[in-house]
Amino acid sequence: MGLSLVGLCFGASWSTPGEVFAVLFGPEDSVVIVEWRLPRVTAALAFGVALGLAGAIFQNLTRNPMGSPDVIGLDTGSYTGALFAITVLAGTSGQRALASVVGGLVVAAAIYLLSSKGGFSGLRLVVIGIGVNAMMTAVNSWIVLRAELEVAIAAVGWSAGSLNGVGWHHLWLPFSVIAGLLVLLVSRAHAIHQTSFGDAIAVTTGVRLNRLRLLMVLIGVGCTATVTAVAGPIAFIALAAPQIGRRLAGAAGVPLLPAALTGAVLLLGADLIAQALLAPVALPVGVVSTAIGGCYLIWLLTREVRRT
């Protein structure tokens, strides 16, 4: 709540909290607050929730803190689909959204099939996902190099992940998709909770593991691809939010609600830093999230190595 208020106050000119409340709940009107800042803050919160949930879903599936969409290549696959829509099709918001989902699903299917040979293994999925991520990054570079100059410049700038210029007309479709995915996820929350106790216990309580895993993959890819279609690939929020949320909640597994709330706070905080760092120039939020996430990844890898 506090960060949201700061986001509504902060800009080229500072608005007091009183002015913000007068615009939101009173007779005052302000294009800057209602049409510029409010969509950006709302998008940061909603997209942070989506990324936090996607990270929690895949970390639950792999039972590995590195099992995150941006590490195993789902972000990159969604970006490949969006690049296809931008460079080959007209690049409308609907085309980008659909192509992002298709790209993410194709990569997810490839990773799942490769990692499930000889039995499903979370560690194998992470390792194969890192390799697929590297391959898809090379494919994306090739697509950008083959594109026309203006399209390539736009694609490269968009690839950093940014909330700059986001307006209400960009958000109705992704918000609808995210809301639908949240409803579907809540409806399966009990079954997901059962899997945290182990596959054997989940099966004995009536959970159909293969069907549940497929549904979780679809929801996770949908959350990731929806954010990528609008803001570009925003790295490391999905990686860090579930683990930070788990520690704050003191939970044994990777609970979904703390991951979602932490993701919202992380993305909004990173976006505020991105706006303030070189003000009045606003950096893409992906630059800040990557810098922070890189430090987190180094800490996580060091911790995992010490365990082994």
Side-chain angles (χ1 to χ4, degrees), residues 220-249:
V221 171
C223 287
T224 301
T226 301
V227 175
T228 302
V230 179
I234 301 176
F236 290 109
I237 299 296
L239 175 69
Q243 293 301 313
I244 296 174
R246 179 179 70 84
R247 285 170 171 79
L248 290 175

Side-chain angles (χ1 to χ4, degrees), residues 188 190-195 198-213:
R188 303 300 296 160
H190 177 71
I192 295 171
H193 177 69
Q194 293 298 103
T195 61
D199 291 353
I201 295 178
V203 170
T204 57
T205 56
V207 176
R208 297 181 179 181
L209 281 178
N210 289 334
R211 182 179 297 182
L212 180 63
R213 283 170 178 162

Side-chain angles (χ1 to χ4, degrees), residues 133-245:
N133 190 10
M135 294 170 60
M136 296 309 299
T137 300
V139 170
N140 292 343
S141 298
W142 179 81
I143 293 174
V144 171
L145 289 173
R146 298 284 296 178
E148 295 181 3
L149 181 60
E150 294 82 2
V151 176
I153 292 173
V156 170
W158 182 68
S159 69
S162 176
L163 297 176
N164 296 340
V166 170
W168 290 120
H169 60 286
H170 298 114
L171 299 178
W172 69 268
L173 178 59
F175 281 7
S176 301
V177 173
I178 292 172
L181 292 172
L182 286 177
V183 171
L184 185 58
L185 188 61
V186 169
S187 70
R188 303 300 296 160
H190 177 71
I192 295 171
H193 177 69
Q194 293 298 103
T195 61
S196 66
F197 297 107
D199 291 353
I201 295 178
V203 170
T204 57
T205 56
V207 176
R208 297 181 179 181
L209 281 178
N210 289 334
R211 182 179 297 182
L212 180 63
R213 283 170 178 162
L214 177 60
L215 179 63
M216 290 173 69
V217 167
L218 292 175
I219 294 174
V221 171
C223 287
T224 301
T226 301
V227 175
T228 302
V230 179
I234 301 176
F236 290 109
I237 299 296
L239 175 69
Q243 293 301 313
I244 296 174

Side-chain angles (χ1 to χ4, degrees), residues 61-122:
L61 273 175
T62 60
R63 294 182 184 168
N64 190 310
M66 289 186 62
S68 162
D70 41 4
V71 173
I72 63 177
L74 301 186
D75 275 17
T76 313
S78 297
Y79 179 49
T80 304
L83 276 180
F84 178 82
I86 292 172
T87 56
V88 177
L89 306 177
T92 63
S93 57
Q95 289 174 341
R96 284 204 315 269
L98 180 60
S100 294
V101 172
V102 172
L105 286 176
V106 169
V107 170
I111 295 171
Y112 185 83
L113 290 174
L114 290 171
S115 62
S116 61
K117 291 183 178 180
F120 180 80
S121 168

